[in-house]
Amino acid sequence: QDNQTLNGYVNRTINVVPNGDIKMTWIVIFTCLLYVFIMRRLWFEWEVFIQLRHKFLASGDPSFHKSPTYLRTYRNTCMVESVPQELRSDRKLKDVFESLFPGQIERAEMVINTSDLEKVLKKRQKLIGKYDSLSARYMYESWRYDTWQRDGKNVGICTNHVSKPMEPKVRSGGLFSKRVNAFAFYNEKIKEIDIEAGEEYDILVDHRNKSKEASIRLPEGGEEDTRAVGYNVNDVAPLLVPGRVRQFFAKESPVFNGTGMVEFKSIVAKQSAVQCNLSGQPYYMITSDVPDPRDLLWFNVGVDRYTLETRKILVQIVLLLGLFGWGAIVAFITNTVEGMPTDYFLYPLIKDYLPALAVSLVLLWLPAIFFMLAMHVIRFKSHSRCDEFVLVWNTAYRLTNVFLTLFSLSYLEAFACFKEKPEDFVQSLADKVVRQSTVLMNLVILAAGQETMLQLLQWRSLIKQAVLRPLINLNTRSKRYIDSLNTAPALEQSFLFGFFAPVLSYGLVIAMIYAFMAPLMLVICATFFYIATKVHTHNALFVYCQRCEGGGKIFYYWNRIVFITLYSSIVVFFAILTLKQYFRMGTAFLIIMTLVTYCFDKSVTNTFVVNSLYLPISIARDSDAKEDVLIAHSNIEREGGENFMYRNPLLNQENWNSKI
């Protein structure tokens, strides 16, 4: 019966067209028209997107701050990475950029290394948490005892005896040390750490005050050179030496990281700095658009650019090797199910559902692993960069799963089979491509019914609130603990494209590959996209609160996914046409559609992609002119708080949360 069902499904695919039949021409025409329609729609989307992209680059995120001066600071600031040791002061950094962009520098500031202060405050916060936890439990037990004293004694033997609580005690040193009053002990420890944190803070402030005015133009103790704007750029050239030489002869600063922020007086000057090569040296004074302050990961800001790129390469090599292991996992799951006895009464359900379920459960947890690697191993400096990393590799593993399921072979098996009998390999491949569509169909159904519904349910928050919360007696917990319990998990506090977008690209690739082979797949994928649209629209409007506007970076991802889908579909369709004895038609289709798609790809890249990555200088000049007119007719002045936008929040002692 299962074979009859499968054969019935196969008879509704491209296999129903006999080899050499003229009807295949209509399928080819339909496929070509579908490709042209997709490319046409993509072009229209780019025409709309590039205007919005330029507007964002020129005006920034309107939700950034109510004061326009804060937005102006954000738009005109760039991040400088790999600043050498000898230039790590506010004044030196400003002198370098003043020499390169005379009269265009508003201010420059090096990022302070707060790692030691962060460790002290983390230790302090841990002690406060212990104090709060013991205090809450002791207060609850005291209330419980007082209640029993007041009401419980009169009830009789049915009431359990409640002992008078004793103030909690802890060991002051090690395992065999004396037990002392916990409240007094933690109070004393917190006061000691307060003093230590204050001293560390004073060291940072004192060192910055001493070094921030150090200038490459001023001899120590000399008078200030008033010819700042006229400083010759050639005087900076001796400082632009390779990073390895600097690291060998110079010690790293204990206070300043190798990252700085430079604010320009105009968007034109900022874009000129971002779009050009300042030094001609690798990993030296690298400029880029500064991330939104709400998007920065301050504990990673000080990571050296060379170190970051090296870690990124190593992690990507490991993940690339993992793709081959992923092929073995998919092949193992598929072959295990196929090897089960067919007379088992649950075999039809297991054969169609179990492989897709097992793979989807693994894919559900992979993004969290990628996100951890991006944030804590590679240590990207912004939340959005971590999201982009997850987006790329989550998509890579999902697309690998599609093609491995499509061919139902591991890499080693495929190579061995192709080496021994190429004709049998090709024929087996063509047969499996059509028959494995049932597994991919189940993957799409699971994506529509399982993944999208889990996103709608916010499953991490659901587990936290529905499963863990009932097991906790909140009366014995501190307010800080209850607040953390009421806070959404980190991965559900904003819309992470790396977790959700690859699922959609998953459906797009499957739909396009089987559009000409199994029309039923288009119906299934269309249903999936309909459900996903409803879920994601609901979450974006009512559930998630984005950290900041991303500037449309996700569109570049979708652009590349569309072309990967088109190229893959063209190759697969060519293979099917060739195997069904349409060699001339398949060859003509492959050559023509590949050339058309490639030309369109290059046209989109040259027309839109390249011209939208950065703000054109002409638009920046126009934006500066409009802003100058606006400032001239308004009384808006800088408040001073703009200078603190790109300083670690820990440098503001009000953020230490010292109350217990």
Side-chain angles (χ1 to χ4, degrees):
Q1 184 179 358
D2 181 60
N3 291 331
Q4 292 177 357
T5 303
L6 180 60
N7 292 332
Y9 168 77
V10 171
N11 290 333
R12 291 177 176 81
T13 64
I14 198 173
N15 286 350
V16 75
V17 180
N19 295 345
D21 197 307
I22 194 64
K23 293 180 181 179
M24 186 63 70
T25 306
W26 294 105
I27 299 178
V28 174
I29 293 174
F30 164 77
T31 305
C32 293
L33 292 176
L34 179 61
Y35 293 161
V36 172
F37 172 78
I38 291 175
M39 290 186 282
R40 177 175 174 270
R41 287 302 311 168
L42 182 62
W43 185 274
F44 289 159
E45 293 295 333
W46 267 111
E47 289 180 337
V48 176
F49 170 78
I50 194 171
Q51 299 179 20
L52 297 175
R53 173 69 176 169
H54 287 163
K55 183 178 180 181
F56 171 80
L57 292 174
S59 303
D61 183 1
S63 67
F64 182 76
H65 197 277
K66 62 181 180 181
S67 174
T69 57
Y70 283 78
L71 182 59
R72 176 185 173 89
T73 300
Y74 165 59
R75 288 185 325 212
N76 293 4
T77 301
C78 75
M79 177 186 287
V80 186
E81 298 175 87
S82 300
V83 179
Q85 167 64 27
E86 59 270 17
L87 297 180
R88 291 184 186 179
S89 77
D90 299 351
R91 182 64 181 272
K92 289 180 181 179
L93 183 63
K94 184 177 180 180
D95 286 346
V96 172
F97 277 86
E98 188 70 45
S99 63
L100 298 173
F101 304 93
Q104 292 296 323
I105 307 302
E106 183 72 32
R107 54 186 294 275
E109 185 172 314
M110 292 297 302
V111 175
I112 297 176
N113 182 6
T114 59
S115 57
D116 292 338
L117 181 60
E118 289 175 9
K119 293 178 182 177
V120 173
L121 294 179
K122 187 178 294 185
K123 187 192 303 182
R124 177 178 178 276
Q125 197 63 34
K126 186 177 180 180
L127 289 174
I128 292 176
K130 291 181 178 179
Y131 182 97
D132 285 346
S133 179
L134 290 175
S135 176
R137 178 172 291 277
Y138 178 71
M139 291 176 63
Y140 169 73
E141 291 178 352
S142 298
W143 168 84
R144 185 164 169 260
Y145 175 75
D146 292 339
T147 303
W148 178 79
Q149 284 284 95
R150 184 178 63 251
D151 303 326
K153 285 184 176 181
N154 300 325
V155 177
I157 60 172
C158 296
T159 304
N160 294 328
H161 179 77
V162 178
S163 302
K164 183 178 181 179
M166 304 293 292
E167 287 194 355
K169 295 182 180 297
V170 294
R171 297 190 181 276
S172 58
L175 182 61
F176 302 103
S177 60
K178 183 180 178 181
R179 295 178 65 88
V180 297
N181 183 279
F183 297 138
F185 174 77
Y186 285 131
N187 260 317
E188 186 65 26
K189 285 293 184 181
I190 291 171
K191 289 178 182 178
E192 292 177 3
I193 292 182
D194 281 343
I195 296 174
E196 184 181 354
E199 291 175 350
E200 181 66 29
Y201 177 81
D202 292 338
I203 291 173
L204 295 177
V205 173
D206 182 62
H207 191 283
R208 182 178 183 276
N209 289 335
K210 288 181 179 179
S211 60
K212 70 177 182 179
E213 292 299 328
S215 174
I216 60 175
R217 309 176 189 182
L218 274 173
E220 197 167 319
E223 295 183 359
E224 183 176 359
D225 186 358
T226 57
R227 299 172 298 170
V229 176
Y231 185 69
N232 192 348
V233 68
N234 293 328
D235 295 338
V236 185
L239 298 172
L240 305 181
V241 295
R244 292 296 180 88
V245 178
R246 297 192 321 273
Q247 293 174 7
F248 183 78
F249 289 103
K251 295 181 180 179
E252 293 296 322
S253 170
V255 174
F256 291 121
N257 289 316
T259 305
M261 307 292 178
V262 178
E263 181 184 354
F264 294 83
K265 294 181 179 179
S266 65
I267 303 179
V268 172
K270 180 262 183 100
Q271 288 296 325
S272 300
V274 170
Q275 298 181 38
C276 71
N277 188 344
L278 297 183
S279 66
Q281 299 288 347
Y283 300 109
Y284 186 79
M285 301 290 281
I286 303 172
T287 55
S288 60
D289 288 313
V290 67
D292 191 301
R294 298 166 293 183
D295 192 37
L296 277 173
L297 298 173
W298 283 105
F299 53 85
N300 288 343
V301 168
V303 178
D304 182 69
R305 180 68 173 267
Y306 178 79
T307 303
L308 189 149
E309 294 293 341
T310 304
R311 290 178 178 178
K312 181 180 176 182
I313 292 173
L314 295 176
V315 170
Q316 288 181 328
I317 290 175
V318 173
L319 294 179
L320 190 61
L321 294 175
L323 287 176
F324 294 91
W326 179 246
I329 293 174
V330 174
F332 173 77
I333 294 174
T334 304
N335 295 333
T336 300
V337 173
E338 290 181 353
M340 294 182 63
T342 57
D343 56 349
Y344 186 53
F345 74 99
L346 290 178
Y347 178 75
L349 177 63
I350 294 175
K351 180 180 182 301
D352 293 334
Y353 184 71
L354 186 59
L357 178 62
V359 170
S360 64
L361 289 176
V362 175
L363 290 173
L364 194 64
W365 288 98
L366 280 180
I369 298 175
F370 298 149
F371 194 83
M372 181 193 67
L373 292 174
M375 182 176 291
H376 300 291
V377 179
I378 301 176
R379 298 186 66 184
F380 286 113
K381 300 184 179 183
S382 65
H383 194 273
S384 59
R385 287 295 307 277
C386 296
D387 193 16
E388 291 175 17
F389 182 82
V390 177
L391 184 65
V392 171
W393 282 101
N394 192 10
T395 302
Y397 272 75
R398 285 183 176 271
L399 295 188
T400 301
N401 176 58
V402 170
F403 292 111
L404 290 175
T405 305
L406 188 69
F407 304 141
S408 188
L409 291 170
S410 67
Y411 295 110
L412 296 178
E413 290 176 346
F415 179 76
C417 182
F418 181 77
K419 185 177 179 180
E420 293 178 2
K421 297 180 180 180
E423 299 82 2
D424 294 345
F425 169 77
V426 173
Q427 188 62 40
S428 173
L429 189 63
D431 181 63
K432 285 192 175 184
V433 163
V434 177
R435 291 183 177 271
Q436 286 299 105
S437 64
T438 57
V439 178
L440 293 175
M441 182 185 298
N442 289 328
L443 286 174
V444 176
I445 294 174
L446 279 172
Q450 175 179 292
E451 295 194 39
T452 56
M453 290 302 105
L454 287 176
Q455 294 164 18
L456 182 64
L457 292 172
Q458 300 293 288
W459 63 274
R460 296 179 183 88
S461 297
L462 186 64
I463 293 175
K464 188 176 181 181
Q465 300 297 331
V467 178
L468 300 180
R469 192 184 184 103
L471 303 177
I472 300 171
N473 185 356
L474 297 181
N475 295 318
T476 64
R477 300 292 181 169
S478 65
K479 185 178 182 301
R480 281 189 178 86
Y481 181 87
I482 296 175
D483 290 340
S484 65
L485 192 64
N486 293 332
T487 303
L491 297 179
E492 292 183 353
Q493 292 180 3
S494 60
F495 195 90
L496 297 174
F497 292 107
F499 284 72
F500 305 135
V503 183
L504 303 178
S505 62
Y506 203 44
L508 177 64
V509 172
I510 294 174
M512 285 300 301
I513 288 178
Y514 281 100
F516 56 87
M517 288 191 292
L520 182 61
M521 189 69 77
L522 287 177
V523 179
I524 301 297
C525 291
T527 304
F528 160 69
F529 279 110
Y530 176 80
I531 296 173
T533 301
K534 295 294 184 181
V535 171
H536 291 315
T537 302
H538 171 271
N539 288 349
L541 292 177
F542 304 111
V543 178
Y544 294 113
C545 180
Q546 290 296 87
R547 294 172 179 265
C548 58
E549 175 60 52
K553 292 182 179 179
I554 186 67
F555 195 76
Y556 298 98
Y557 163 81
W558 282 119
N559 175 73
R560 187 46 42 200
I561 286 297
V562 167
F563 284 110
I564 291 175
T565 302
L566 291 175
Y567 289 129
S568 303
S569 181
I570 289 170
V571 172
V572 172
F573 194 24
F574 159 73
I576 296 298
L577 289 174
T578 303
L579 293 173
K580 293 185 73 64
Q581 301 178 8
Y582 294 94
F583 180 75
R584 291 183 179 179
M585 184 185 298
T587 304
F589 171 81
L590 176 67
I591 295 174
I592 294 174
M593 289 311 302
T594 301
L595 287 176
V596 169
T597 305
Y598 176 77
C599 292
F600 183 78
D601 187 0
K602 298 301 292 183
S603 179
V604 167
T605 301
N606 296 330
T607 306
F608 299 111
V609 176
V610 174
N611 296 319
S612 63
L613 291 175
Y614 299 101
L615 182 66
I617 299 298
S618 58
I619 299 178
R621 179 75 66 183
D622 182 63
S623 179
D624 282 334
K626 292 180 180 179
E627 187 168 313
D628 291 340
V629 173
L630 179 63
I631 293 176
H633 292 82
S634 63
N635 297 323
I636 301 175
E637 298 181 357
R638 293 176 68 96
E639 301 176 359
E642 303 91 337
N643 299 339
F644 297 90
M645 284 170 45
Y646 289 105
R647 291 180 188 171
N648 195 318
L650 289 181
L651 295 176
N652 182 358
Q653 294 186 1
E654 294 180 358
N655 295 327
W656 289 8
N657 192 17
S658 59
K659 296 180 180 180
I660 59 175

